[in-house]
Amino acid sequence: MNRTHALDRARAFAADSLFTLLSDWVSLDTGSRADDRKPSLTAYLEEKIIPWLASRAFETRIVENPEDPCAPFLIARRVEDKALPTVLVYGHGDTVPGMDDAWTKGGGPFALTRDGDRWYGRGAADNKGQHAVNLAAMDCVLQERGTLGFNLTLLLEMGEEMGSPGLHAVCAAEKTALAADVLIASDGPRIEPGTPTIFGGSRAVFNFDLKLTLREGGHHSGNWGGLLANPGIILSHAISSLVDQKGKILVDALRPKDLPRSIAAAIDKLSVTGQGGPEIDPSWGEPGLSAARKVYGWNTLDVLAFECGTPASPVNAIPPAAWARCHIRFLADMDPATFIPAIRAHLDDHGFSEVEVIEVPNNYGLATRMAPDNPWVSFVTASFDTTLDLLAKGPEKKQVSFLPNLGGTLPNDAFSHVLGLPTIWVPHSYAGCCQHAPNEHVLPAILEEGLALMTGLFWDIGETGGPEPDKETSKKG
Ligand SMILES: [Zn+2]
């Protein structure tokens, strides 16, 4: 019984069983935006996950969603000893719609299919493959040691792709059942496909609309052009008072404060290349920042949609109104409740009092991040280093990348703010995985490496109880 044998089990599981397990989970359409979604979202828990957990001595309980009854939660607990530390694992079993007709690879969304170095299927990356890896890693430790050496609670959500309705409420209502020493979860992409990645939080999103209505109906531009103010032109100038032609944010209150030194140092170790996606425009965004600072250490203000007149069939008329949906990604030191008043004041100052600023309802959570010197970050990094030593095939050993926060957004404030946990995210996918699009896929090489890393991590937590300082400060009753 030892760590190396647990890793052997992980390797064997990745080679022999992971595809079968994931095929079964992918075969159930769990698109959470469909009208008749409740039966399949519940079936994923009742038919796929609960039997798997029950045979590993988990107590399981489906929790109704207080905000969307179609998307239940699962809370599953394996309690070995109340004196041991508890790890909370989170995942989501719902997916975006299958988009069946648009797939050009694999066997369509619900038949996991091998093709070269990829496995295609809806949810393979987001998020079924990621929680499959974590549960399989837990199982490798259990098989090898007979016990985990810690308590494990799984929270599985079935509405993440609809914006996680009810997640914060359930975390608040189930605080005792979800009490833990740390959250360890997997979602999102690695910084590069070949680079084991840890991130400690995420930026958050804030959407708002700008709207200007000057009159009812359009008016012939030959008779009225030059006499009637054009709301499209005024609104475009209002937007350009907020953000300049190179994407620099011009509203002081929307620009982040200086980064803490340790966060800045962690970000400056990262390189962002675009990973085979579109070419990065180096002149875009805040001047003087590296690409990594722009994505992980700064805010963005973008326009998602802009409408005036009738874009599908323009007519020669002065349009009566214009509208834009604007979008902010922001860092953990920002209070989104201040954004609308700041934008209002800025527009008033710049002569755009008639432009309405409208918050999109329920559109934001809080941004979160962790410092690189958090004891859990050091612990997980050291564990991964040990495993990567063993996996190294030549003299070149992989280095772990740590991101204080992801550039994208996760509902991590439910865990960091509501449950008060340190949060460790270990993504098992990559940015080119086509999540939320046709041809979603995973790279089995990442799943295999991820399974080894997570097995080693769960082994080490069971062996040592996790990092020292947390054991002292976070004992739960
Ligand atoms: Zn997603």
Side-chain angles (χ1 to χ4, degrees):
M1 168 183 115
N2 66 37
R3 193 182 195 278
T4 312
H5 291 167
L7 292 177
D8 289 341
R9 288 177 188 274
R11 194 171 304 124
F13 189 90
D16 306 331
S17 308
L18 184 59
F19 184 86
T20 308
L21 179 73
L22 188 53
S23 297
D24 182 41
W25 293 1
V26 164
S27 69
L28 186 66
D29 175 357
T30 55
S32 58
R33 294 176 196 173
D35 291 338
D36 56 346
R37 59 200 189 271
K38 185 166 190 180
S40 63
L41 296 181
T42 307
Y44 187 73
L45 301 179
E46 286 180 344
E47 292 167 21
K48 307 296 184 193
I49 304 297
I50 290 176
W52 193 94
L53 293 170
S55 64
R56 283 140 181 104
F58 277 78
E59 297 163 23
T60 61
R61 177 161 60 94
I62 289 185
V63 177
E64 289 298 317
N65 189 322
E67 292 171 21
D68 183 341
C70 289
F73 293 85
L74 174 69
I75 296 179
R77 299 172 75 195
R78 187 189 147 88
V79 180
E80 294 189 352
D81 182 337
K82 288 203 169 105
L84 291 172
T86 298
V87 174
L88 176 63
V89 171
Y90 159 86
H92 67 90
D94 67 312
T95 68
V96 296
M99 308 171 189
D100 308 37
D101 296 340
W103 285 57
T104 57
K105 303 278 186 167
F110 308 115
L112 190 71
T113 305
R114 290 185 165 102
D115 184 353
D117 61 355
R118 298 174 171 192
W119 296 352
Y120 286 93
R122 173 61 78 225
D126 184 16
N127 170 266
K128 293 173 179 177
Q130 304 220 23
H131 59 257
V133 162
N134 293 350
L135 293 177
M138 181 271 304
D139 199 38
C140 291
V141 173
L142 204 48
Q143 300 279 334
E144 179 62 23
R145 187 150 52 199
T147 63
L148 292 175
F150 58 90
N151 306 312
L152 193 146
T153 304
L154 171 70
L155 174 64
L156 206 61
E157 180 186 11
M158 298 305 295
E160 197 267 354
E161 300 295 358
M162 297 185 300
S164 296
L167 176 64
H168 293 72
V170 164
C171 285
E174 298 283 350
K175 224 168 177 167
T176 309
L178 298 174
D181 295 86
V182 64
L183 173 94
I184 297 177
S186 298
D187 205 0
R190 288 178 164 192
I191 188 166
E192 297 280 348
T195 304
T197 302
I198 301 167
F199 56 86
S202 72
R203 292 197 297 183
V205 164
F206 184 93
N207 287 340
F208 64 98
D209 288 352
L210 297 178
K211 194 174 165 197
L212 178 58
T213 304
L214 294 182
R215 61 191 74 84
E216 270 188 36
H219 292 272
H220 189 284
S221 58
N223 301 330
W224 296 98
L227 301 177
L228 294 182
N230 186 318
I233 292 172
I234 295 172
L235 191 59
S236 69
H237 283 272
I239 292 168
S240 66
S241 82
L242 303 175
V243 57
D244 81 3
Q245 72 201 72
K246 296 256 170 113
K248 176 182 169 168
I249 298 172
L250 301 174
V251 184
D252 275 343
L254 303 182
R255 296 165 59 82
K257 304 181 183 84
D258 284 342
L259 290 176
R261 198 173 300 184
S262 67
I263 300 287
I267 294 172
D268 289 343
K269 288 183 194 159
L270 306 171
S271 84
V272 171
T273 63
Q275 301 174 317
E279 202 178 322
I280 291 171
D281 183 345
S283 66
W284 188 257
E286 181 68 17
L289 294 186
S290 68
R293 286 279 191 120
K294 288 175 181 173
V295 180
Y296 304 119
W298 200 254
N299 300 342
T300 57
L301 171 51
D302 277 290
V303 175
L304 303 180
F306 189 116
E307 189 171 39
C308 81
T310 49
S313 55
V315 292
N316 294 340
I318 308 303
W323 166 91
R325 169 68 47 90
C326 302
H327 172 81
I328 297 172
R329 294 256 177 197
F330 61 96
L331 291 176
D333 57 7
M334 309 292 296
D335 176 3
T338 65
F339 292 171
I340 292 286
I343 295 163
R344 176 73 273 156
H346 183 93
L347 291 177
D348 288 346
D349 283 351
H350 288 75
F352 299 107
S353 300
E354 71 273 54
V355 173
E356 291 177 77
V357 185
I358 305 158
E359 185 177 330
V360 175
N362 303 321
N363 85 101
Y364 66 86
L366 297 172
T368 58
R369 74 178 161 220
M370 292 232 298
D373 53 3
N374 179 286
W376 274 101
V377 175
S378 315
F379 183 89
V380 176
T381 306
S383 170
F384 285 4
D385 278 340
T386 305
T387 302
L388 291 168
D389 269 336
L390 292 166
L391 297 181
K393 295 197 174 88
E396 282 280 297
K397 186 195 138 187
K398 287 191 179 184
Q399 298 293 319
V400 179
S401 274
F402 171 71
L403 284 55
N405 53 262
L406 194 65
T409 297
L410 293 164
N412 192 50
D413 58 330
F415 314 115
S416 63
H417 288 62
V418 181
L419 296 177
L421 302 180
T423 55
I424 298 286
W425 292 81
V426 184
H428 304 313
S429 187
Y430 78 117
C433 71
C434 299
Q435 67 184 113
H436 297 195
N439 303 333
E440 177 177 350
H441 60 274
V442 272
L443 303 182
I446 296 184
L447 297 187
E448 184 184 349
E449 188 175 74
L451 184 46
L453 294 171
M454 298 306 285
T455 300
L457 175 60
F458 289 149
W459 182 273
D460 293 341
I461 294 172
E463 200 76 356
T464 65
E468 279 301 325
D470 274 61
K471 279 192 286 183
E472 286 159 23
T473 56
S474 62
K475 272 286 158 242
K476 306 293 183 301

mmCIF file of all heavy atoms in Angstrom, residues 92 126 160-161 435-436, ligand 1:
data_model
loop_
_atom_site.group_PDB
_atom_site.id
_atom_site.type_symbol
_atom_site.label_atom_id
_atom_site.label_comp_id
_atom_site.label_asym_id
_atom_site.label_seq_id
_atom_site.Cartn_x
_atom_site.Cartn_y
_atom_site.Cartn_z
ATOM 1 N N HIS A 92 -20.260 20.172 -12.058
ATOM 2 C CA HIS A 92 -21.628 20.326 -12.566
ATOM 3 C C HIS A 92 -21.901 19.290 -13.643
ATOM 4 O O HIS A 92 -21.059 19.037 -14.516
ATOM 5 C CB HIS A 92 -21.919 21.755 -13.029
ATOM 6 C CG HIS A 92 -21.169 22.238 -14.230
ATOM 7 N ND1 HIS A 92 -21.639 22.083 -15.506
ATOM 8 C CD2 HIS A 92 -19.992 22.896 -14.347
ATOM 9 C CE1 HIS A 92 -20.788 22.632 -16.366
ATOM 10 N NE2 HIS A 92 -19.771 23.126 -15.691
ATOM 11 N N ASP A 126 -16.656 19.947 -20.223
ATOM 12 C CA ASP A 126 -17.409 20.898 -19.382
ATOM 13 C C ASP A 126 -18.728 20.277 -18.968
ATOM 14 O O ASP A 126 -19.717 20.476 -19.613
ATOM 15 C CB ASP A 126 -17.593 22.193 -20.188
ATOM 16 C CG ASP A 126 -18.276 23.303 -19.408
ATOM 17 O OD1 ASP A 126 -18.341 23.204 -18.181
ATOM 18 O OD2 ASP A 126 -18.752 24.262 -20.035
ATOM 19 N N GLU A 160 -25.414 24.856 -13.728
ATOM 20 C CA GLU A 160 -24.289 25.799 -13.876
ATOM 21 C C GLU A 160 -24.357 26.562 -15.195
ATOM 22 O O GLU A 160 -24.046 27.750 -15.258
ATOM 23 C CB GLU A 160 -22.961 25.042 -13.775
ATOM 24 C CG GLU A 160 -21.758 25.923 -13.513
ATOM 25 C CD GLU A 160 -21.024 26.391 -14.754
ATOM 26 O OE1 GLU A 160 -21.369 25.938 -15.878
ATOM 27 O OE2 GLU A 160 -20.114 27.209 -14.622
ATOM 28 N N GLU A 161 -24.805 25.864 -16.241
ATOM 29 C CA GLU A 161 -24.827 26.507 -17.560
ATOM 30 C C GLU A 161 -25.977 27.504 -17.699
ATOM 31 O O GLU A 161 -26.127 28.164 -18.719
ATOM 32 C CB GLU A 161 -24.890 25.459 -18.670
ATOM 33 C CG GLU A 161 -23.699 24.494 -18.682
ATOM 34 C CD GLU A 161 -22.364 25.155 -18.991
ATOM 35 O OE1 GLU A 161 -22.342 26.379 -19.233
ATOM 36 O OE2 GLU A 161 -21.343 24.457 -18.963
ATOM 37 N N GLN A 435 -15.816 23.866 -25.759
ATOM 38 C CA GLN A 435 -16.942 23.831 -24.824
ATOM 39 C C GLN A 435 -17.921 24.916 -25.254
ATOM 40 O O GLN A 435 -17.514 25.935 -25.796
ATOM 41 C CB GLN A 435 -16.469 24.045 -23.383
ATOM 42 C CG GLN A 435 -15.915 25.430 -23.130
ATOM 43 C CD GLN A 435 -15.351 25.610 -21.729
ATOM 44 O OE1 GLN A 435 -14.152 25.781 -21.581
ATOM 45 N NE2 GLN A 435 -16.192 25.579 -20.721
ATOM 46 N N HIS A 436 -19.188 24.700 -25.057
ATOM 47 C CA HIS A 436 -20.243 25.638 -25.451
ATOM 48 C C HIS A 436 -20.384 25.748 -26.972
ATOM 49 O O HIS A 436 -21.010 26.672 -27.464
ATOM 50 C CB HIS A 436 -20.014 27.043 -24.865
ATOM 51 C CG HIS A 436 -20.052 27.075 -23.372
ATOM 52 N ND1 HIS A 436 -20.176 28.240 -22.648
ATOM 53 C CD2 HIS A 436 -20.005 26.079 -22.449
ATOM 54 C CE1 HIS A 436 -20.186 27.957 -21.370
ATOM 55 N NE2 HIS A 436 -20.072 26.657 -21.210
HETATM 56 ZN ZN ZN B 1 -19.739 25.663 -19.359
#
